[in-house]
PDB file of all heavy atoms in Angstrom:
ATOM      1  N   ARG A  22      -4.954  23.572  -3.447  1.00  0.00           N
ATOM      2  CA  ARG A  22      -4.223  24.562  -2.635  1.00  0.00           C
ATOM      3  C   ARG A  22      -4.596  24.414  -1.141  1.00  0.00           C
ATOM      4  O   ARG A  22      -3.747  24.516  -0.330  1.00  0.00           O
ATOM      5  CB  ARG A  22      -4.549  25.973  -3.168  1.00  0.00           C
ATOM      6  CG  ARG A  22      -3.930  26.267  -4.522  1.00  0.00           C
ATOM      7  CD  ARG A  22      -4.075  27.773  -4.958  1.00  0.00           C
ATOM      8  NE  ARG A  22      -3.367  27.974  -6.181  1.00  0.00           N
ATOM      9  CZ  ARG A  22      -2.065  28.349  -6.263  1.00  0.00           C
ATOM     10  NH1 ARG A  22      -1.334  28.445  -5.208  1.00  0.00           N
ATOM     11  NH2 ARG A  22      -1.578  28.501  -7.514  1.00  0.00           N
ATOM     12  N   LYS A  23      -5.848  24.177  -0.867  1.00  0.00           N
ATOM     13  CA  LYS A  23      -6.233  23.991   0.564  1.00  0.00           C
ATOM     14  C   LYS A  23      -5.514  22.801   1.186  1.00  0.00           C
ATOM     15  O   LYS A  23      -5.063  22.893   2.308  1.00  0.00           O
ATOM     16  CB  LYS A  23      -7.708  23.859   0.609  1.00  0.00           C
ATOM     17  CG  LYS A  23      -8.545  25.148   0.400  1.00  0.00           C
ATOM     18  CD  LYS A  23     -10.038  24.782   0.536  1.00  0.00           C
ATOM     19  CE  LYS A  23     -10.821  26.072   0.210  1.00  0.00           C
ATOM     20  NZ  LYS A  23     -12.255  25.794   0.463  1.00  0.00           N
ATOM     21  N   ALA A  24      -5.422  21.721   0.427  1.00  0.00           N
ATOM     22  CA  ALA A  24      -4.721  20.480   0.817  1.00  0.00           C
ATOM     23  C   ALA A  24      -3.281  20.786   1.153  1.00  0.00           C
ATOM     24  O   ALA A  24      -2.711  20.379   2.125  1.00  0.00           O
ATOM     25  CB  ALA A  24      -5.002  19.383  -0.139  1.00  0.00           C
ATOM     26  N   ALA A  25      -2.731  21.585   0.063  1.00  0.00           N
ATOM     27  CA  ALA A  25      -1.224  21.845   0.276  1.00  0.00           C
ATOM     28  C   ALA A  25      -0.876  22.765   1.351  1.00  0.00           C
ATOM     29  O   ALA A  25       0.129  22.666   2.046  1.00  0.00           O
ATOM     30  CB  ALA A  25      -0.713  22.430  -1.067  1.00  0.00           C
ATOM     31  N   ALA A  26      -1.832  23.599   1.732  1.00  0.00           N
ATOM     32  CA  ALA A  26      -1.609  24.548   2.868  1.00  0.00           C
ATOM     33  C   ALA A  26      -1.472  23.788   4.184  1.00  0.00           C
ATOM     34  O   ALA A  26      -0.974  24.419   5.169  1.00  0.00           O
ATOM     35  CB  ALA A  26      -2.915  25.522   3.016  1.00  0.00           C
ATOM     36  N   THR A  27      -1.777  22.604   4.235  1.00  0.00           N
ATOM     37  CA  THR A  27      -1.642  21.739   5.513  1.00  0.00           C
ATOM     38  C   THR A  27      -0.145  21.321   5.666  1.00  0.00           C
ATOM     39  O   THR A  27       0.206  20.767   6.680  1.00  0.00           O
ATOM     40  CB  THR A  27      -2.526  20.568   5.595  1.00  0.00           C
ATOM     41  OG1 THR A  27      -2.151  19.661   4.524  1.00  0.00           O
ATOM     42  CG2 THR A  27      -3.992  20.979   5.318  1.00  0.00           C
ATOM     43  N   GLY A  28       0.638  21.486   4.546  1.00  0.00           N
ATOM     44  CA  GLY A  28       1.992  21.024   4.601  1.00  0.00           C
ATOM     45  C   GLY A  28       2.207  19.566   4.288  1.00  0.00           C
ATOM     46  O   GLY A  28       3.286  19.096   4.509  1.00  0.00           O
ATOM     47  N   HIS A  29       1.149  18.964   3.847  1.00  0.00           N
ATOM     48  CA  HIS A  29       1.257  17.525   3.561  1.00  0.00           C
ATOM     49  C   HIS A  29       2.027  17.331   2.223  1.00  0.00           C
ATOM     50  O   HIS A  29       1.633  17.876   1.292  1.00  0.00           O
ATOM     51  CB  HIS A  29      -0.233  16.975   3.369  1.00  0.00           C
ATOM     52  CG  HIS A  29      -0.296  15.516   3.178  1.00  0.00           C
ATOM     53  ND1 HIS A  29      -1.037  14.984   2.106  1.00  0.00           N
ATOM     54  CD2 HIS A  29       0.191  14.539   3.944  1.00  0.00           C
ATOM     55  CE1 HIS A  29      -0.871  13.601   2.243  1.00  0.00           C
ATOM     56  NE2 HIS A  29      -0.172  13.372   3.360  1.00  0.00           N
ATOM     57  N   GLY A  30       3.053  16.450   2.348  1.00  0.00           N
ATOM     58  CA  GLY A  30       3.995  16.225   1.293  1.00  0.00           C
ATOM     59  C   GLY A  30       3.203  15.891  -0.115  1.00  0.00           C
ATOM     60  O   GLY A  30       3.529  16.479  -1.102  1.00  0.00           O
ATOM     61  N   PRO A  31       2.442  14.838  -0.095  1.00  0.00           N
ATOM     62  CA  PRO A  31       1.837  14.385  -1.292  1.00  0.00           C
ATOM     63  C   PRO A  31       0.911  15.457  -1.865  1.00  0.00           C
ATOM     64  O   PRO A  31       0.845  15.632  -3.131  1.00  0.00           O
ATOM     65  CB  PRO A  31       1.058  13.147  -0.929  1.00  0.00           C
ATOM     66  CG  PRO A  31       1.786  12.576   0.227  1.00  0.00           C
ATOM     67  CD  PRO A  31       2.352  13.823   0.994  1.00  0.00           C
ATOM     68  N   ALA A  32       0.300  16.232  -0.967  1.00  0.00           N
ATOM     69  CA  ALA A  32      -0.625  17.358  -1.517  1.00  0.00           C
ATOM     70  C   ALA A  32       0.219  18.494  -2.161  1.00  0.00           C
ATOM     71  O   ALA A  32      -0.192  18.953  -3.204  1.00  0.00           O
ATOM     72  CB  ALA A  32      -1.374  17.863  -0.338  1.00  0.00           C
ATOM     73  N   LEU A  33       1.438  18.800  -1.557  1.00  0.00           N
ATOM     74  CA  LEU A  33       2.337  19.710  -2.155  1.00  0.00           C
ATOM     75  C   LEU A  33       2.779  19.324  -3.488  1.00  0.00           C
ATOM     76  O   LEU A  33       2.882  20.020  -4.498  1.00  0.00           O
ATOM     77  CB  LEU A  33       3.394  20.020  -1.265  1.00  0.00           C
ATOM     78  CG  LEU A  33       3.167  20.820   0.088  1.00  0.00           C
ATOM     79  CD1 LEU A  33       4.242  20.650   1.106  1.00  0.00           C
ATOM     80  CD2 LEU A  33       3.028  22.326  -0.336  1.00  0.00           C
ATOM     81  N   SER A  34       3.136  17.996  -3.540  1.00  0.00           N
ATOM     82  CA  SER A  34       3.566  17.413  -4.865  1.00  0.00           C
ATOM     83  C   SER A  34       2.434  17.482  -5.929  1.00  0.00           C
ATOM     84  O   SER A  34       2.745  17.781  -7.120  1.00  0.00           O
ATOM     85  CB  SER A  34       3.991  15.985  -4.661  1.00  0.00           C
ATOM     86  OG  SER A  34       5.168  15.802  -3.918  1.00  0.00           O
ATOM     87  N   TYR A  35       1.285  17.187  -5.495  1.00  0.00           N
ATOM     88  CA  TYR A  35       0.140  17.359  -6.487  1.00  0.00           C
ATOM     89  C   TYR A  35      -0.078  18.704  -6.908  1.00  0.00           C
ATOM     90  O   TYR A  35      -0.248  18.887  -8.219  1.00  0.00           O
ATOM     91  CB  TYR A  35      -1.143  16.726  -5.820  1.00  0.00           C
ATOM     92  CG  TYR A  35      -2.384  16.882  -6.711  1.00  0.00           C
ATOM     93  CD1 TYR A  35      -2.386  16.308  -7.872  1.00  0.00           C
ATOM     94  CD2 TYR A  35      -3.509  17.536  -6.193  1.00  0.00           C
ATOM     95  CE1 TYR A  35      -3.546  16.405  -8.672  1.00  0.00           C
ATOM     96  CE2 TYR A  35      -4.729  17.671  -6.920  1.00  0.00           C
ATOM     97  CZ  TYR A  35      -4.671  17.051  -8.222  1.00  0.00           C
ATOM     98  OH  TYR A  35      -5.756  17.222  -8.935  1.00  0.00           O
ATOM     99  N   LEU A  36      -0.015  19.653  -6.030  1.00  0.00           N
ATOM    100  CA  LEU A  36      -0.232  20.996  -6.464  1.00  0.00           C
ATOM    101  C   LEU A  36       0.965  21.476  -7.403  1.00  0.00           C
ATOM    102  O   LEU A  36       0.741  22.196  -8.352  1.00  0.00           O
ATOM    103  CB  LEU A  36      -0.383  21.994  -5.329  1.00  0.00           C
ATOM    104  CG  LEU A  36      -0.505  23.433  -5.583  1.00  0.00           C
ATOM    105  CD1 LEU A  36      -1.824  23.683  -6.478  1.00  0.00           C
ATOM    106  CD2 LEU A  36      -0.616  24.305  -4.306  1.00  0.00           C
TER     107      LEU A  36
END
Side-chain angles (χ1 to χ4, degrees):
R22 287 185 178 278
K23 286 182 181 179
T27 66
H29 187 231
L33 287 162
S34 290
Y35 175 56
L36 181 57

